[in-house]
Amino acid sequence: MADVDVPPGYEPREYPPFAVTVDLVVLTVQDDRLVVLLVERGERPLGLALPGGFVRPDEDLVDAARRELREEAGLSAPGHLEQLGTYGAPARDPRMRVVTVAYLVLAPDLPAPVAGTDARAARWVPVDSFGQGQRDTVPPLAFDHDEIVRDGVERARSKLEYTPLGAAFCPREFTVAELRRVYETVWGRTLDPRNFHRKVTGTAGFLTPTGRTTTRDGGRPAQLYRVGSLVTLYPPMLRQGA
Amino acid sequence: MADVDVPPGYEPREYPPFAVTVDLVVLTVQDDRLVVLLVERGERPLGLALPGGFVRPDEDLVDAARRELREEAGLSAPGHLEQLGTYGAPARDPRMRVVTVAYLVLAPDLPAPVAGTDARAARWVPVDSFGQGQRDTVPPLAFDHDEIVRDGVERARSKLEYTPLGAAFCPREFTVAELRRVYETVWGRTLDPRNFHRKVTGTAGFLTPTGRTTTRDGGRPAQLYRVGSLVTLYPPMLRQGA
DNA sequence: GCAAAAGTGTTGCTGTTACACCCATGG
DNA sequence: CCATGGGTGTAACAGCAACACTTTTGC
C-alpha cells in the first residue's frame, strides 16, 4: 500500500519496472499430427522453449509477435495470429520479473524448413507430448511454457468449432478432404467425410470455390477452395457428438 | 535489432522497462440493464476510466486484479473473474509506456453501494453507451478503455452461451426467472420463459436446487437454486435463433 | 375470482448422424 | 475392371422454437 498505490500521474520510474516479452505458440499439422514450434535455448534456463523475445520500447505487442515470428520462425504470412493470454507469475522467470504476452499462430505446413534468421535451432514437436500423462519424448519446457502450449492447443481446438480457422492450417488452395483431415488431427477424432463435406460446402461464406480441381489426394478429382469471407460459424461445428 | 535483441540472460536493466497495470471490467445487471463500473480520475488524463492500478513487484497478475477489485470497487467475492486480454499500444498512455492486463469481472447487483476504500468516485454506467452509435450520456473513456469495455461485454455475452456464468450476476440463491432476466439483459433479447426453464433445469449440473421457494417475483412460488458444478454447457445455449 | 408468474406437454422445424449409393479418376 | 477417394440422397434422431395449457400464489 505504499508508493505503488498512489494514483498514476507522477514520475514514471516510481512504478515497478517489468520486462515484457511476447511468446509464440505456433501450431501446424504435419503428417496427421498437430505440432508446435519450439526452439532450443542457448542460455540459462536451458532446454526447449517457445519462440519469443522482448517487446521493444516503441513497438505494439502484436507487432512484436509478428517480428518474432519472422525472426525466430521464418514465417512472414501465417494463416492466423491472435492474442492467447498473458502470464506473469512473479517467479516464472528466475532471473527477473517478466510478464509475457502469448500469441497463438496457426500456420500451414511449410515446404521450406522453418529455420528462421535466428541461429537457434527450431523443432516441431507433437502436442500430444504435453498432455497430463506421458512425457516420453519431450522434457518439460522452460518457464511456464508447458502451460502456455496447453492453453494454446485448447484455444485452437475450440476456435475450430465456431470459426473457419481450420483453413489457416491449409495451403492457399485446398480440398475439402484436406480441410477435414486438419479438423480430425486437431480434434483427435474422425469425422464423417460426407457430412463434413456437406457442412462446409453448405455454409455460405465458409469456402470460396476456385473452379479448379486436383487429384493429388487420389481417386476422383476434388474441387479446390480458398477460405471464404465468413468469420464466425453459426451454428458451430462441435467436436464431440459421436 | 540492437541490444534488445540479444537472447535473455544478461543484466535485467538492459531490457526496456515497462509499467504493468491491471484494469477491471466489472459488469453487473441493475434494473434490467447491463452496467460497467467506472471511476472518476483525479489526475491527467481526466475523465472516466476503468478501475485498475499498477501491479506490484512481487504480485501475480490475478492477485493484483483481486486487490484492485477490493480497493477500488469494494468487492471481495465477485461471481467470476477471468483474464480478458492485454493492451499495450505504445501510445495508449500519453505519459509512459504502460501495458495493461484487463480482467473481466461478473458480479451480482450489490445491495451495498460500491464505494470502495479508495477515495475515487465510482459509477455504474450502462454499456449500451459504448456501442458504435450514440454516446449521449457518457464521454469517451480515458486511454483505450472504451475498446476494453467493448471487448469485455462481448466476452460476457459469448460466455453466457457455453458456460453457466449467467449465475455469476445473481445472488447466491436465485430463481430461474431471475437467471433468465440476466440472460435477456446481457443479450438484449427476450427468451421464452418456458423453454429457458426447461433448458437450465434439464441440464444436469447447471443448477443445484435448495428445496426452498420464494414469491418475491410475484405469482406462483418459484424454486430457489444455487449454481451447480457444471463448467461448460454442452450443447451451448445460443443467443440468436429467434 | 382474477392477475401474475411457475412450470408441463406437445408439435413442427432445423440441423446432425449414420449410412446406402453413385461419380470420376489412376492403375 | 478395380481400388480409391469425391460427392449426393435419405431416413432416424436430437435439440430447439412456438405456444396451448395447468398450477399456485397475492390481492
Side-chain angles (χ1 to χ4, degrees):
Chain A
M1 281 257 193
D3 50 354
V4 289
D5 243 343
V6 297
Y10 302 108
E11 267 310 297
R13 292 315 164 105
E14 290 189 24
Y15 303 109
F18 287 70
V20 176
T21 59
V22 290
D23 281 310
L24 301 170
V25 180
V26 185
L27 300 179
T28 192
V29 172
Q30 277 181 358
D31 305 321
D32 292 330
R33 297 213 288 190
L34 183 63
V35 293
V36 61
L37 184 67
L38 299 178
V39 296
E40 192 71 52
R41 287 176 56 79
E43 337 292 320
R44 50 184 173 128
L46 292 165
L48 283 171
L50 293 171
F54 289 87
V55 178
R56 294 179 178 172
D58 289 303
E59 188 178 41
D60 198 357
L61 299 173
V62 70
D63 294 332
R66 274 192 274 260
R67 175 177 53 76
E68 291 292 343
L69 189 61
R70 210 180 329 108
E71 293 177 2
E72 293 218 45
L75 278 172
S76 31
H80 177 74
L81 182 144
E82 68 177 44
Q83 196 183 104
L84 175 60
T86 299
Y87 300 78
R92 61 176 294 278
D93 187 319
R95 300 161 300 173
M96 58 193 282
R97 185 71 200 266
V98 181
V99 167
T100 194
V101 184
Y103 281 80
L104 176 64
V105 176
L106 310 183
D109 187 8
L110 308 147
V114 173
T117 60
D118 199 298
R120 302 203 230 167
R123 291 176 53 186
W124 293 105
V125 174
V127 299
D128 325 340
S129 322
F130 297 89
Q132 306 292 12
Q134 75 296 349
R135 292 298 300 267
D136 312 331
T137 47
V138 187
L141 303 188
F143 312 114
D144 48 5
H145 288 188
D146 278 303
E147 180 192 358
I148 300 176
V149 169
R150 278 195 300 272
D151 291 349
V153 169
E154 177 50 33
R155 172 79 66 90
R157 288 187 172 135
S158 60
K159 275 261 168 177
L160 259 57
E161 295 194 312
Y162 59 94
T163 69
L165 277 180
F169 289 112
C170 294
R172 223 166 70 89
E173 299 195 352
F174 53 90
T175 67
V176 172
E178 287 161 2
L179 182 62
R180 174 173 49 82
R181 276 184 274 277
V182 163
Y183 278 78
E184 291 180 333
T185 302
V186 174
W187 284 346
R189 57 162 298 199
T190 59
L191 296 169
D192 186 292
R194 296 146 316 192
N195 294 334
F196 184 85
H197 184 279
R198 215 192 323 262
K199 175 76 181 178
V200 298
T201 58
T203 303
F206 197 130
L207 298 178
T208 305
T210 64
R212 283 185 296 285
T213 60
T214 182
T215 57
R216 65 189 177 208
D217 298 331
R220 167 174 167 181
Q223 295 291 322
L224 279 168
Y225 295 90
R226 294 188 195 167
V227 289
S229 53
L230 194 73
V231 167
T232 36
L233 197 53
Y234 188 88
M237 193 170 0
L238 300 169
R239 51 183 136 165
Q240 45 197 96
Chain B
M1 281 253 194
D3 49 355
V4 288
D5 242 345
V6 296
Y10 302 107
E11 266 310 298
R13 291 317 163 106
E14 290 188 23
Y15 302 108
F18 288 69
V20 176
T21 58
V22 289
D23 282 311
L24 301 170
V25 180
V26 185
L27 300 178
T28 192
V29 172
Q30 276 181 358
D31 305 319
D32 292 331
R33 296 214 289 189
L34 183 63
V35 293
V36 61
L37 184 68
L38 300 177
V39 296
E40 192 71 51
R41 289 176 56 81
E43 336 292 320
R44 46 176 180 136
L46 291 164
L48 283 171
L50 293 171
F54 289 87
V55 178
R56 295 181 178 170
D58 288 303
E59 187 178 42
D60 198 357
L61 300 174
V62 70
D63 293 332
R66 274 193 273 260
R67 175 177 52 77
E68 291 291 344
L69 189 62
R70 210 179 330 107
E71 293 177 1
E72 293 218 44
L75 278 172
S76 32
H80 176 74
L81 183 145
E82 69 177 43
Q83 196 184 103
L84 175 60
T86 298
Y87 300 77
R92 62 176 293 278
D93 187 319
R95 301 161 299 173
M96 58 193 282
R97 185 71 200 264
V98 180
V99 167
T100 194
V101 184
Y103 280 80
L104 176 64
V105 176
L106 311 183
D109 187 9
L110 308 147
V114 173
T117 60
D118 199 299
R120 302 202 231 167
R123 290 176 53 187
W124 293 105
V125 174
V127 299
D128 326 340
S129 322
F130 297 89
Q132 306 293 14
Q134 74 297 349
R135 293 297 303 266
D136 312 330
T137 47
V138 187
L141 303 188
F143 312 113
D144 48 6
H145 289 188
D146 278 303
E147 179 191 359
I148 300 177
V149 169
R150 277 196 301 272
D151 291 348
V153 169
E154 177 49 33
R155 172 79 66 91
R157 287 186 172 136
S158 59
K159 276 261 167 176
L160 259 57
E161 294 194 312
Y162 59 94
T163 68
L165 277 179
F169 289 111
C170 294
R172 222 166 70 90
E173 301 195 351
F174 53 90
T175 68
V176 172
E178 287 160 4
L179 182 62
R180 174 173 50 81
R181 275 184 274 277
V182 164
Y183 278 79
E184 291 180 333
T185 301
V186 174
W187 285 346
R189 57 163 298 199
T190 59
L191 296 169
D192 187 292
R194 296 140 320 184
N195 293 334
F196 183 86
H197 185 278
R198 215 192 323 264
K199 174 75 181 178
V200 298
T201 57
T203 303
F206 197 131
L207 300 177
T208 305
T210 64
R212 282 185 296 285
T213 61
T214 182
T215 57
R216 65 189 177 207
D217 298 330
R220 169 173 164 181
Q223 295 290 322
L224 280 168
Y225 295 91
R226 293 188 195 168
V227 290
S229 53
L230 194 72
V231 167
T232 36
L233 197 53
Y234 187 90
M237 192 172 358
L238 300 169
R239 52 183 135 164
Q240 45 196 95

XYZ file of all heavy atoms in Angstrom, chain B residues 149-181:
266
model
N -13.796 -2.044 -22.684
C -15.172 -2.305 -22.256
C -15.921 -3.089 -23.331
O -16.599 -4.081 -23.040
C -15.904 -0.981 -21.938
C -17.397 -1.222 -21.767
C -15.334 -0.350 -20.684
N -15.787 -2.673 -24.578
C -16.473 -3.391 -25.659
C -16.034 -4.850 -25.704
O -16.865 -5.758 -25.852
C -16.183 -2.722 -27.000
C -17.078 -1.525 -27.299
C -17.016 -1.154 -28.775
N -15.662 -0.834 -29.211
C -15.124 0.389 -29.134
N -15.826 1.394 -28.647
N -13.895 0.599 -29.557
N -14.733 -5.078 -25.574
C -14.243 -6.457 -25.593
C -14.799 -7.252 -24.410
O -15.147 -8.424 -24.550
C -12.712 -6.476 -25.552
C -12.087 -5.937 -26.844
O -12.824 -5.763 -27.834
O -10.869 -5.693 -26.857
N -14.873 -6.616 -23.262
C -15.380 -7.309 -22.082
C -16.846 -7.669 -22.220
O -17.264 -8.769 -21.849
N -17.623 -6.746 -22.749
C -19.048 -7.017 -22.926
C -19.247 -8.159 -23.923
O -20.043 -9.073 -23.696
C -19.777 -5.736 -23.388
C -21.189 -6.052 -23.831
C -19.780 -4.712 -22.268
N -18.486 -8.111 -24.992
C -18.624 -9.181 -25.978
C -18.212 -10.527 -25.375
O -18.856 -11.554 -25.614
C -17.793 -8.870 -27.219
C -17.815 -9.953 -28.274
C -19.213 -10.438 -28.632
O -20.165 -9.634 -28.590
O -19.373 -11.644 -28.923
N -17.165 -10.520 -24.562
C -16.746 -11.764 -23.903
C -17.846 -12.276 -22.985
O -18.160 -13.464 -22.973
C -15.462 -11.518 -23.099
C -15.022 -12.672 -22.222
C -14.327 -13.772 -22.988
N -13.066 -13.345 -23.548
C -11.875 -13.437 -22.944
N -11.805 -13.975 -21.746
N -10.777 -13.021 -23.542
N -18.446 -11.378 -22.226
C -19.515 -11.792 -21.317
C -20.677 -12.385 -22.106
O -21.222 -13.429 -21.748
C -19.987 -10.610 -20.474
N -21.025 -11.727 -23.203
C -22.152 -12.233 -23.993
C -21.883 -13.619 -24.516
O -22.764 -14.487 -24.500
C -22.422 -11.273 -25.168
C -23.061 -9.980 -24.711
C -23.475 -9.075 -25.864
N -24.247 -7.955 -25.329
C -24.099 -6.684 -25.685
N -23.231 -6.346 -26.622
N -24.836 -5.752 -25.131
N -20.692 -13.861 -24.984
C -20.444 -15.188 -25.546
C -20.226 -16.218 -24.445
O -20.586 -17.379 -24.607
C -19.275 -15.158 -26.522
O -18.111 -14.721 -25.895
N -19.686 -15.799 -23.309
C -19.509 -16.764 -22.213
C -20.839 -17.328 -21.729
O -20.928 -18.474 -21.310
C -18.786 -16.089 -21.045
C -17.287 -16.084 -21.192
C -16.679 -17.216 -20.390
C -15.225 -17.438 -20.771
N -14.600 -18.473 -19.929
N -21.867 -16.491 -21.779
C -23.177 -16.973 -21.339
C -23.713 -18.068 -22.256
O -24.598 -18.829 -21.866
C -24.174 -15.807 -21.290
C -24.430 -15.259 -19.885
C -23.155 -14.821 -19.224
C -25.437 -14.123 -19.908
N -23.163 -18.127 -23.447
C -23.651 -19.148 -24.376
C -23.200 -20.554 -23.979
O -23.936 -21.507 -24.150
C -23.162 -18.853 -25.799
C -23.747 -17.586 -26.380
C -23.534 -17.491 -27.885
O -22.401 -17.719 -28.354
O -24.500 -17.206 -28.593
N -21.971 -20.665 -23.524
C -21.435 -22.011 -23.349
C -20.930 -22.293 -21.942
O -20.198 -23.246 -21.719
C -20.334 -22.289 -24.391
C -19.169 -21.341 -24.351
C -18.047 -21.675 -23.613
C -19.177 -20.140 -25.033
C -16.973 -20.826 -23.554
C -18.110 -19.275 -24.985
C -17.006 -19.628 -24.248
O -15.939 -18.780 -24.183
N -21.286 -21.417 -20.988
C -20.983 -21.688 -19.583
C -22.212 -21.316 -18.761
O -23.100 -20.617 -19.246
C -19.797 -20.847 -19.071
O -20.192 -19.482 -19.028
C -18.573 -21.002 -19.951
N -22.280 -21.727 -17.529
C -23.400 -21.330 -16.663
C -23.109 -20.018 -15.951
O -23.629 -19.784 -14.869
C -23.505 -22.495 -15.673
C -22.308 -23.340 -15.859
C -21.402 -22.702 -16.849
N -22.299 -19.154 -16.537
C -21.837 -17.960 -15.834
C -22.893 -16.883 -15.653
O -22.650 -15.905 -14.940
C -20.619 -17.363 -16.542
C -19.308 -18.035 -16.173
C -18.154 -17.406 -16.918
C -19.079 -17.906 -14.674
N -24.053 -17.036 -16.282
C -25.105 -16.075 -16.014
C -25.390 -15.979 -14.527
O -25.718 -14.911 -14.003
N -25.218 -17.092 -13.835
C -25.486 -17.117 -12.402
C -24.523 -16.235 -11.623
O -24.810 -15.863 -10.483
C -25.417 -18.550 -11.886
N -23.383 -15.894 -12.226
C -22.443 -15.006 -11.542
C -23.044 -13.618 -11.321
O -22.584 -12.881 -10.456
C -21.144 -14.891 -12.348
N -24.045 -13.272 -12.094
C -24.726 -11.981 -11.919
C -25.826 -12.051 -10.870
O -26.415 -11.023 -10.528
C -25.360 -11.539 -13.243
C -24.378 -11.120 -14.301
C -24.194 -11.880 -15.438
C -23.653 -9.949 -14.154
C -23.308 -11.482 -16.430
C -22.761 -9.544 -15.145
C -22.585 -10.320 -16.275
N -26.139 -13.243 -10.409
C -27.265 -13.427 -9.484
C -26.767 -13.526 -8.054
O -25.610 -13.862 -7.808
C -28.019 -14.708 -9.836
S -28.839 -14.634 -11.440
N -27.662 -13.263 -7.091
C -27.299 -13.528 -5.694
C -27.090 -15.024 -5.495
O -27.326 -15.824 -6.389
C -28.497 -13.012 -4.913
C -29.617 -12.950 -5.896
C -29.001 -12.696 -7.226
N -26.664 -15.376 -4.290
C -26.275 -16.766 -4.064
C -27.430 -17.719 -4.346
O -27.226 -18.802 -4.876
C -25.793 -16.940 -2.621
C -24.568 -17.807 -2.495
C -23.968 -17.664 -1.120
N -24.824 -18.270 -0.106
C -24.712 -19.553 0.267
N -23.807 -20.321 -0.285
N -25.499 -20.040 1.203
N -28.640 -17.327 -3.986
C -29.805 -18.133 -4.305
C -30.709 -17.313 -5.199
O -30.934 -16.122 -4.952
C -30.535 -18.560 -3.032
C -29.648 -19.371 -2.109
C -30.438 -20.109 -1.031
O -31.654 -19.863 -0.898
O -29.823 -20.937 -0.332
N -31.218 -17.951 -6.227
C -31.959 -17.203 -7.243
C -32.978 -18.132 -7.889
O -32.883 -19.358 -7.780
C -30.998 -16.659 -8.298
C -30.108 -17.714 -8.900
C -30.516 -18.415 -10.025
C -28.880 -18.033 -8.317
C -29.716 -19.391 -10.575
C -28.080 -19.024 -8.865
C -28.489 -19.709 -9.986
N -33.933 -17.515 -8.560
C -34.937 -18.302 -9.267
C -34.565 -18.403 -10.744
O -33.729 -17.645 -11.254
C -36.325 -17.660 -9.145
O -36.328 -16.429 -9.871
C -36.695 -17.402 -7.694
N -35.209 -19.322 -11.417
C -34.962 -19.487 -12.849
C -35.328 -18.213 -13.592
O -34.632 -17.794 -14.524
C -35.754 -20.694 -13.399
C -35.652 -20.759 -14.917
C -35.254 -21.976 -12.770
N -36.400 -17.555 -13.175
C -36.818 -16.331 -13.853
C -35.787 -15.226 -13.669
O -35.511 -14.461 -14.601
C -38.175 -15.879 -13.329
N -35.200 -15.149 -12.476
C -34.171 -14.133 -12.256
C -32.959 -14.399 -13.149
O -32.385 -13.481 -13.742
C -33.767 -14.119 -10.775
C -34.840 -13.506 -9.884
C -34.712 -13.894 -8.412
O -33.738 -14.600 -8.041
O -35.593 -13.491 -7.626
N -32.605 -15.645 -13.256
C -31.498 -16.002 -14.135
C -31.829 -15.674 -15.590
O -30.997 -15.159 -16.338
C -31.193 -17.494 -13.992
C -30.024 -18.021 -14.817
C -28.714 -17.355 -14.421
C -29.905 -19.539 -14.678
N -33.053 -15.957 -15.962
C -33.461 -15.660 -17.334
C -33.373 -14.175 -17.634
O -32.925 -13.767 -18.699
C -34.878 -16.176 -17.584
C -35.448 -15.792 -18.958
C -36.779 -16.446 -19.234
N -37.732 -16.277 -18.156
C -38.468 -15.198 -17.964
N -38.372 -14.174 -18.792
N -39.300 -15.132 -16.948
N -33.793 -13.364 -16.652
C -33.734 -11.922 -16.892
C -32.284 -11.445 -17.055
O -32.016 -10.490 -17.793
C -34.460 -11.166 -15.770
C -35.969 -11.086 -16.048
C -36.701 -10.251 -15.014
N -37.075 -11.048 -13.842
C -38.176 -11.815 -13.769
N -38.998 -11.877 -14.797
N -38.444 -12.505 -12.694
